[in-house]
Amino acid sequence: MRFKGKVVLVTGSSRGIGRATALAFAREGARLALLGVEPTEGEAVAQECREVGAEALWLTARVELEPDVKEAIDRIASRWGRLDVLVNNAGIYAKGDPVTTTLSDWERIMAVNVTGAFLCAKYALPIMIAQGSGCIVNVASEAGLVGIPDQVAYNVSKGALIAMTRSQAVDLAARGVRANCICPGTTRTPLVETALAHSADPQATLRTLEGSRPQNRLGRPEEIAAAIMLLASDEVAYATGAVLSVDGGYTAQ
Ligand SMILES: NC(=O)c1ccc[n+]([C@@H]2O[C@H](COP(=O)([O-])OP(=O)(O)OC[C@H]3O[C@@H](n4cnc5c(N)ncnc54)[C@H](O)[C@@H]3O)[C@@H](O)[C@H]2O)c1
């Protein structure tokens, strides 16, 4: 019960890594605020959190819209009066190289993946600073560390999240707030299942993805959730500005 009594906000928690993360925090005693754009699925995850004994609040909001984020965080403050952990997990993906990427895909990805994380932190931080404690975990990607072909907007957005983490760490350390970043490798979630389904030969694409990393497999959402919780836990209170790869060895090559 490492997070007993703590209030944890996980964005994009209606499925995939966000859902696994919310459930993992719930099992360790946290009170969960779940935020995202899929209310039916999100309410179902909130119910799963309650079934393991946690309080849970679903908030329908788009992370890139300032009024949505402000209202959601106001609701957390009025419900629990505090916020201990923000997991900036909401993210979207589109294919495209530096020539084929459309301006609208570029702007959509930057809005959700970068502006969304900035806004959630912007409105969460006054609460954390007033408490004198708090912690942000930004979910970047292996794509923020190396150039993965044909996904330039996504790569750039994840590189920006790594830079945001370092900026947050240096600006907030003296105010009791930590910021760290996790770089997952390819993990079997709806995001990846959709990308596989759209490929010419899903089985061959899956084998290529698996074979591109030393562990020769994809990650499981629960493995990413466990690393997010480690960075959020008081046991690693000295860690701020850290960038943790959990990618089956992909970026070690
Ligand atoms: N799955 C992977 O292989 C992988 C690898 C590295 C990093 N990541 C990152 O991990 C995070 C979670 O990925 P996932 O694979 O679970 O994806 P997913 O598509 O399964 O889930 C993404 C979640 O974000 C939500 N979301 C989308 N747009 C939103 C918006 N505008 N506002 C609020 N919520 C929104 C979705 O509804 C969903 O709940 C993302 O940031 C992704 O880039 C994933």
Side-chain angles (χ1 to χ4, degrees):
M1 299 297 267
R2 279 180 295 174
F3 293 92
K4 192 161 176 46
K6 301 246 172 148
V7 176
V8 177
L9 166 58
V10 184
T11 69
S13 38
S14 57
R15 63 184 196 216
I17 291 170
R19 171 181 170 273
T21 302
L23 284 170
F25 275 110
R27 287 190 199 98
E28 294 232 24
R31 295 176 279 179
L32 264 301
L34 312 173
L35 182 155
V37 292
E38 298 173 307
T40 307
E41 295 83 349
E43 288 287 4
V45 178
Q47 186 53 31
E48 287 183 277
C49 290
R50 291 180 199 114
E51 280 160 18
V52 299
E55 289 179 47
L57 173 66
W58 168 258
L59 302 157
T60 302
R62 303 193 74 84
V63 289
E64 72 277 30
L65 299 182
E66 188 169 17
D68 280 21
V69 172
K70 185 175 180 317
E71 189 191 329
I73 291 183
D74 282 349
R75 283 188 61 196
I76 296 168
S78 37
R79 166 96 181 242
W80 288 306
R82 61 183 300 114
L83 179 55
D84 299 286
V85 178
L86 163 65
V87 182
N88 273 320
N89 167 76
I92 58 172
Y93 173 89
K95 285 179 81 65
D97 73 16
V99 177
T100 59
T101 297
T102 62
L103 180 59
S104 76
D105 273 352
W106 173 271
E107 288 180 341
R108 207 166 47 87
I109 288 188
M110 292 305 156
V112 175
N113 295 8
V114 184
T115 307
F118 159 74
L119 284 174
C120 291
K122 177 175 170 59
Y123 285 96
L125 281 167
I127 304 174
M128 295 178 175
I129 290 167
Q131 290 165 185
S133 68
C135 171
I136 297 170
V137 182
N138 292 315
V139 181
S141 169
E142 59 192 1
L145 294 168
V146 296
I148 297 180
D150 205 26
Q151 50 177 55
V152 63
Y154 185 80
N155 294 349
V156 172
S157 74
K158 294 302 184 178
L161 269 182
I162 294 169
M164 193 186 305
T165 304
R166 293 185 172 129
S167 291
Q168 290 167 334
V170 297
D171 280 336
L172 299 165
R175 291 181 265 181
V177 178
R178 299 188 295 119
N180 293 293
C181 174
I182 180 151
C183 291
T186 310
T187 301
R188 283 201 85 148
T189 67
L191 180 148
V192 168
E193 300 294 351
T194 305
L196 281 175
H198 284 96
S199 72
D201 182 345
Q203 276 310 314
T205 308
L206 175 61
R207 279 194 301 276
T208 305
L209 279 172
E210 289 171 337
S212 67
R213 55 204 66 239
Q215 285 191 353
N216 197 29
R217 69 176 179 93
L218 302 191
R220 291 185 292 110
E222 295 71 23
E223 293 174 304
I224 310 304
I228 290 170
M229 289 178 80
L230 173 68
L231 289 175
S233 78
D234 291 339
E235 290 160 297
V236 296
Y238 200 40
T240 196
V243 179
L244 176 62
S245 290
V246 184
D247 63 5
Y250 184 78
T251 52
Q253 297 173 104

